[in-house]
Amino acid sequence: MNIAEKVPASESRFTVRDVVEKRSRRDRIADIADWVVTNVPWTIAVPDWSDFHDRWPLLTRADLAAVEEELARRCAAIEAGATDLDTIAEAMTGRPTYCAAAADWLTLNPGKGIADHEFFRLFGQLTRAELILAALDHKQRILRGCRSQFVST
């Protein structure tokens, strides 16, 4: 038995409209996730940020769940090293002085991280993009330090 025999014909047909609507929804979810990354502080849940509802007033619960899933997917890809971090950094915007200050703190406090109470207090208003940029800056500093130690020995 092949797949066509298992799936009734009424359920197996997709129209061009179905494909376009699915792509349009996926693009909208990606646009909303992009907005969240550059506008919502990393310490605040998306639905708890009042500006989010002002910007996206008619978002359904299903759409909000899809946005959360997209954000989680992006985070997992970054953590797994499945993305080009330089490309990500080039596409993000943020306040450079705040990103640098967060990177400084991370560099000056080895063994501590973003879950540390002091980091949370000092940098809780960074957007997700700024937090990612700070983490990338911190990582580059570590790599430069490792390279300079390797070269000098």
Side-chain angles (χ1 to χ4, degrees):
M1 179 181 281
N2 65 33
I3 190 73
E5 294 170 343
K6 292 181 182 178
V7 179
S10 62
E11 293 179 24
S12 65
R13 293 187 184 135
F14 291 102
T15 65
V16 171
R17 181 178 178 186
D18 293 336
V19 173
V20 169
E21 285 178 1
K22 186 172 183 173
R23 183 175 295 143
S24 175
R25 182 175 187 273
R26 187 177 60 235
D27 290 347
R28 182 169 187 257
I29 296 302
D31 289 344
I32 295 169
D34 289 343
W35 185 89
V36 167
V37 167
T38 57
N39 290 282
V40 180
W42 69 278
T43 55
I44 299 176
V46 173
D48 295 343
W49 183 246
S50 62
D51 292 349
F52 177 79
H53 298 289
D54 293 342
R55 176 67 176 89
W56 309 100
L58 301 177
L59 204 62
T60 66
R61 287 185 181 179
D63 288 341
L64 181 57
V67 169
E68 293 283 3
E69 287 173 16
E70 175 64 14
L71 292 168
R73 184 194 66 74
R74 291 178 183 190
C75 182
I78 290 171
E79 289 175 353
T83 56
D84 179 7
L85 298 179
D86 291 331
T87 302
I88 290 173
E90 290 172 7
M92 290 190 173
T93 59
R95 300 167 290 182
T97 54
Y98 291 95
C99 297
D104 288 346
W105 190 94
L106 290 167
T107 302
L108 294 171
N109 294 280
K112 294 185 179 182
I114 65 171
D116 184 84
H117 175 71
E118 185 69 7
F119 185 90
F120 193 89
R121 184 183 69 75
L122 292 170
F123 304 106
Q125 290 302 311
L126 292 177
T127 66
R128 288 157 171 81
E130 291 167 336
L131 182 64
I132 291 168
L133 291 170
L136 293 174
D137 184 5
H138 173 64
K139 182 178 178 179
Q140 289 171 344
R141 292 175 187 194
I142 291 171
L143 292 174
R144 280 193 304 263
C146 289
R147 279 189 224 124
S148 66
Q149 287 178 355
F150 182 71
V151 171
S152 64
T153 54

